[in-house]
Amino acid sequence: MPATVHLIAAARPNFMKVAPLYHALKASGDFTPRIVHTGQHYDFNMSDAFFVDLGLPEPDYHLNVGGGTHAEQVGNVMIAYEKVAMADRPDWLVVVGDVNSTVACAMVGAKLWIPVVHLEAGLRSRDRRMPEEINRLATDVLADVLWTPSPDGDENLANEGIPAERITRVGNIMLDSYELLRERIEAENAPARFGLEPGTYGIVTLHRPSNVDQKEMLEPLVAQLEKAAARLPLIFPVHPRTRKKLHDFGLWARLEAAGLTLVEPVSYRPFMSLVSNARLCITDSGGIQEETTYLDIPCLTLRENTERPITILEGTNRLVKPERLVEAVETVLGGQWPSGRRPDLWDGKTAQRCVEDLRRRTALRHAAE
Ligand code: UD1
């Protein structure tokens, strides 16, 4: 009988990690994947549109937890997922990334003795003010199997005392989504839809609480974006959190007046079409640091640290202080930005390695029983 696998999908950055694994597990014949959507992200633009773009079926279970404080979100996901996990008792539970639902479901699985696999394990920003860092640390302690994207992940886990046999370096699964959809992404021609010329514009995304929640942080960023927009066209798909704050602080009109193209969040295929044709990206996202490294597009990351240092060591990512954003844009436009290379195992074949590892570990479990 195929082993059942729960795949937890919760928030936007999860969907492109879940999709390739879902497709590979299903094709293997050895596993029955079931998608559990916690409902952490619920807008069409932030969730359903990604399911459509990534060829994912309707979730098998929908927990509909919605927003709330961190404790409310984690608590509500735990309460709702525990019922599903107890009724269904999957052979494996796979959680991905570092969102609140990741740690919530890992905790439920660990307490029910359901083996927990963490996909994208071992990343560390060493900044505990970031909610995601807490989620990463706690999830990795709870997980039975840790699938890492890069050698720094393996090292971090080893330093924290995680036994080597639990860790398998599988590579970066997000890029599997890109490769699965490459032709359709190329056919999207998203820049033209927004009146942009390929290779001549920048794309902006901002949503970290540390950048957008306080006016003292967001206003100087807006001032820099105004100046950057005078140097090249900028398109900015605005996250719901950021949209609210820009309006609350009276900054929205300034960005409009500066000529930025402000749009709703864009789903996976058009978004990757915009990124792959951009001259540069300005972001505080985690995943975009990796996608730009893969595509050799300059990435200006508005953060003090990153849990993805390999994108700086080997790729096109650099941390940029808010007040030096325009200077960094000039560096790119002057052709002075360093180019990079693709890290090892960032090759579109990560899902296959995950399936092989799960097959091996399933056999080991059966042998032990
Ligand atoms: C969450 C993740 C973050 C990830 C980000 C991607 C955590 C701690 N944070 O942050 O790691 O980078 O997703 O987007 O898990 N909202 C909507 N519609 C939605 C989703 C959210 O309007 O579909 C609103 C919420 O009501 C809330 C705000 O956006 O006001 C933030 O949503 P939330 O899920 O709490 O955190 P994100 O900032 O999206």
Side-chain angles (χ1 to χ4, degrees):
M1 241 202 10
T4 51
V5 183
H6 278 189
L7 299 175
I8 307 298
R12 185 171 61 177
N14 295 159
F15 306 135
M16 52 293 250
K17 298 167 193 164
V18 164
L21 185 56
Y22 173 84
H23 294 306
L25 287 169
K26 196 152 173 78
S28 75
D30 293 332
F31 297 98
T32 306
R34 297 202 179 120
I35 297 177
V36 181
H37 194 320
T38 67
Q40 182 174 338
H41 282 177
Y42 43 83
D43 284 358
F44 181 84
N45 285 336
M46 299 290 285
S47 175
D48 306 47
F50 282 78
F51 270 65
V52 175
D53 271 14
L54 294 160
L56 284 171
E58 285 283 307
D60 296 87
Y61 302 98
H62 209 305
L63 309 181
N64 289 312
V65 297
T69 66
H70 286 268
E72 283 165 349
Q73 240 175 22
V74 172
N76 289 337
V77 171
M78 284 186 70
I79 292 164
Y81 180 60
E82 186 184 56
K83 295 190 177 78
V84 171
M86 278 165 59
D88 206 31
R89 280 219 82 93
D91 297 295
W92 296 99
L93 161 59
V94 179
V95 296
V96 306
D98 55 17
V99 302
N100 284 340
S101 303
T102 307
V103 66
C105 292
M107 177 73 91
V108 170
K111 295 217 173 182
L112 291 175
W113 298 10
I114 294 167
V116 176
V117 184
H118 185 203
L119 173 53
E120 200 187 83
L123 300 185
R124 298 288 181 268
S125 67
R126 301 194 166 72
D127 176 0
R128 292 199 186 190
R129 292 168 307 169
M130 256 183 108
E132 292 82 2
E133 183 73 353
I134 309 290
N135 295 342
R136 289 187 283 261
L137 284 161
T139 303
D140 285 344
V141 166
L142 295 168
D144 299 280
V145 177
L146 298 104
W147 283 342
T148 60
S150 46
D152 53 293
D154 304 14
E155 263 169 52
N156 291 333
L157 295 173
N159 290 339
E160 289 168 22
I162 309 272
E165 65 269 18
R166 291 198 194 168
I167 305 167
T168 304
R169 175 134 44 99
V170 293
N172 192 324
I173 191 120
M174 274 217 309
L175 307 168
D176 287 34
S177 275
Y178 187 80
E179 287 306 329
L180 280 170
L181 294 171
R182 178 189 278 277
E183 279 172 27
R184 298 176 74 173
I185 291 167
E186 282 167 4
E188 280 280 336
N189 239 333
R193 252 188 279 157
F194 295 104
L196 299 164
E197 266 307 298
T200 65
Y201 63 89
I203 178 162
V204 181
T205 82
L206 287 176
H207 73 281
R208 295 261 155 238
S210 56
N211 278 330
V212 307
D213 277 6
Q214 269 121 35
K215 192 175 183 189
E216 306 80 77
M217 283 307 296
L218 192 53
E219 188 162 31
L221 279 176
V222 165
Q224 289 279 316
L225 289 174
E226 287 176 316
K227 287 189 199 143
R231 297 292 289 116
L232 84 170
L234 293 178
I235 180 162
F236 184 177
V238 189
H239 185 285
R241 170 195 287 280
T242 312
R243 175 177 297 268
K244 181 171 182 304
K245 297 294 174 184
L246 285 169
H247 283 295
D248 287 354
F249 303 149
L251 297 168
W252 182 269
R254 274 177 59 183
L255 289 178
E256 270 183 341
L260 277 91
T261 305
L262 303 176
V263 297
E264 288 289 318
V266 182
S267 68
Y268 183 73
R269 287 190 325 230
F271 187 77
M272 290 316 298
S273 169
L274 284 171
V275 170
S276 58
N277 286 297
R279 183 80 181 82
L280 57 88
C281 285
I282 298 170
T283 192
D284 59 8
S285 144
I288 295 169
Q289 297 173 48
E290 302 180 330
E291 288 159 337
T292 46
T293 275
Y294 190 68
L295 298 167
D296 204 19
I297 308 274
C299 186
L300 287 53
T301 297
L302 290 164
R303 286 176 46 184
E304 288 172 16
N305 48 53
T306 177
E307 62 288 339
R308 293 161 161 92
I310 198 162
T311 59
I312 297 177
L313 276 169
E314 298 189 15
T316 52
N317 183 31
R318 296 295 180 271
L319 301 180
V320 174
K321 290 194 191 333
E323 65 274 17
R324 306 191 70 168
L325 180 62
V326 175
E327 197 182 316
V329 168
E330 295 291 355
T331 306
V332 175
L333 296 180
Q336 302 299 310
W337 200 261
S339 64
R341 63 161 191 259
R342 288 179 177 174
D344 197 25
L345 303 185
W346 292 26
D347 58 0
K349 296 181 182 132
T350 291
Q352 209 43 54
R353 286 187 284 270
C354 293
V355 171
E356 278 154 29
D357 192 56
L358 210 56
R359 218 182 250 135
R360 179 178 68 84
R361 291 179 186 275
T362 305
L364 281 175
R365 251 171 71 195
H366 287 161
E369 281 159 16

